[in-house]
Amino acid sequence: MKNNPVTQLGQELRRGGILWVPFIPLIVFALAFEILPMGYIIYSSIHNSEGLNFQSYTQIFHSKYYVISLKNSLLVSVAVGIIGLFIGTAGALALRSVGEAWREKLLTLVNMTSNFSGVPLAFAYIVLLGVNGLVTVLMKEKMGLDLYGTGFNLFSWTGIVLVYIYFSVPLAFMLMYPAVYALRQDIQEAAQILGASRFHFWRKIGLPILLPSMLGSFTLLFANSLGAYATAYALTNSNNSLVSITIANLVTGDIFPEPSLASALAVIMAGFLVVSIIINEKLKKQGGGIGQ
């Protein structure tokens, strides 16, 4: 009984007393906007006109269209997560060499760009890199380079990945900056005094320190890309099959909406996120031995 979670929760509530009062709005918010909606989505995914069953899941995994949309979303999310994490981490490391005044200005700028997404971001890219976009026309007239003649197409998977990277890099930058800032210069100097090369320092000291933050940041970037909808829809409409666009089409169906299928796809997406978090935690534990 000592390990009973309910008993432990009761003991904590009695021990905290009135200190728990400020947490009540948070608990109500989480219950109303996270736990209950998720519970309803799970129920909706196994309930249709024929009652309780797993027909929606069976239909999804036996349909090439839904499987391709899941595969596309996973590939795009992994690619964007890796590229965004690499660029964001490199930027955070480079920021250490910038003066304090400029550092604060750059952090403010990065924070502002991290909030620029959705339809406005898609429109901005169309204005710049569309078929008749500003950059496209300038490159053709001034440099003689036909961007679309080289195979580039903003309204394809290349464009989706490019736009997703735009709002993933600032997020990765802001997530990695505290970890990079904690990697003080004197640690590297001490390692060099003891004879460690730059490569040896990063392999034995730098990477193990940054690895937990990098894994956590990748999970957030992966989740952010997996759930993105407005940007991809505004850029390609429904021409590219992504899970988020497929769910929207099922909810707003042209003839009959299929909320059960949409809910099942949402649960599968949530399952992907849970798996990524579990893998992240296991890699963090294994990463603790890298520097040993």
Side-chain angles (χ1 to χ4, degrees):
M1 293 297 293
K2 291 183 178 180
N3 295 325
N4 190 331
V6 178
T7 303
Q8 291 179 349
L9 179 60
Q11 292 174 352
E12 288 294 330
L13 288 174
R14 287 192 296 270
R15 188 181 300 116
I18 197 172
L19 295 177
W20 281 96
V21 173
F23 289 95
I24 293 177
L26 176 62
I27 295 171
V28 172
F29 179 87
L31 184 66
F33 296 101
E34 294 184 17
I35 299 175
L36 289 179
M38 190 62 201
Y40 176 77
I41 290 174
I42 294 174
Y43 171 76
S44 178
S45 68
I46 58 175
H47 180 270
N48 55 25
S49 58
E50 299 179 4
L52 293 175
N53 54 65
F54 292 93
Q55 183 177 342
S56 297
Y57 292 96
T58 303
Q59 184 176 344
I60 288 172
F61 288 109
H62 283 80
S63 171
K64 188 176 181 180
Y65 172 73
Y66 296 128
V67 171
I68 288 176
S69 68
L70 290 169
K71 179 182 176 181
N72 290 341
S73 291
L74 285 175
L75 291 176
V76 168
S77 299
V78 170
V80 171
I82 293 173
I83 298 172
L85 180 62
F86 176 79
I87 298 175
T89 304
L93 287 168
L95 195 64
R96 294 197 307 168
S97 60
V98 178
E100 187 68 28
W102 278 102
R103 187 183 305 167
E104 294 299 325
K105 294 177 182 178
L106 289 173
L107 283 173
T108 302
L109 179 63
V110 171
N111 191 28
M112 290 173 58
T113 56
S114 66
N115 295 312
F116 185 51
S117 60
V119 176
L121 177 60
F123 177 73
Y125 264 82
I126 292 172
V127 170
L128 291 174
L129 292 172
V131 178
N132 296 309
L134 177 63
V135 175
T136 306
V137 172
L138 286 176
M139 291 182 68
K140 189 173 183 179
E141 292 182 353
K142 302 298 182 181
M143 302 174 60
L145 177 62
D146 184 4
L147 192 60
Y148 281 76
T150 62
F152 173 81
N153 186 1
L154 181 64
F155 309 101
S156 64
W157 291 114
T158 303
I160 290 177
V161 171
L162 184 63
V163 175
Y164 276 26
I165 288 174
Y166 177 89
F167 62 76
S168 293
V169 168
L171 179 60
F173 188 100
M174 298 302 294
L175 290 170
M176 288 302 302
Y177 178 73
V180 169
Y181 191 77
L183 191 63
R184 301 187 307 275
Q185 188 68 27
D186 58 347
I187 298 178
Q188 187 170 355
E189 293 174 354
Q192 290 176 347
I193 292 173
L194 294 173
S197 64
R198 184 181 294 271
F199 172 78
H200 198 72
F201 167 78
W202 283 108
R203 180 175 176 270
K204 293 290 186 178
I205 302 173
L207 183 59
I209 291 176
L210 295 180
L211 186 60
S213 296
M214 292 178 69
L215 292 173
S217 299
F218 174 79
T219 302
L220 290 175
L221 295 177
F222 175 81
N224 193 37
S225 300
L226 191 64
Y229 163 72
T231 304
Y233 186 82
L235 195 64
T236 65
N237 206 342
S238 297
N239 297 327
N240 295 83
S241 180
L242 291 171
V243 175
S244 55
I245 295 178
T246 302
I247 290 174
N249 291 338
L250 288 171
V251 172
T252 62
D254 295 333
I255 302 176
F256 297 108
E258 299 185 69
S260 182
L261 272 176
S263 297
L265 280 172
V267 172
I268 293 172
M269 284 180 63
F272 288 152
L273 297 181
V274 171
V275 170
S276 69
I277 292 172
I278 293 173
I279 294 175
N280 175 30
E281 293 300 321
K282 287 186 177 181
L283 290 175
K284 279 183 179 179
K285 292 178 181 179
Q286 295 176 1
I290 290 178
Q292 297 177 358

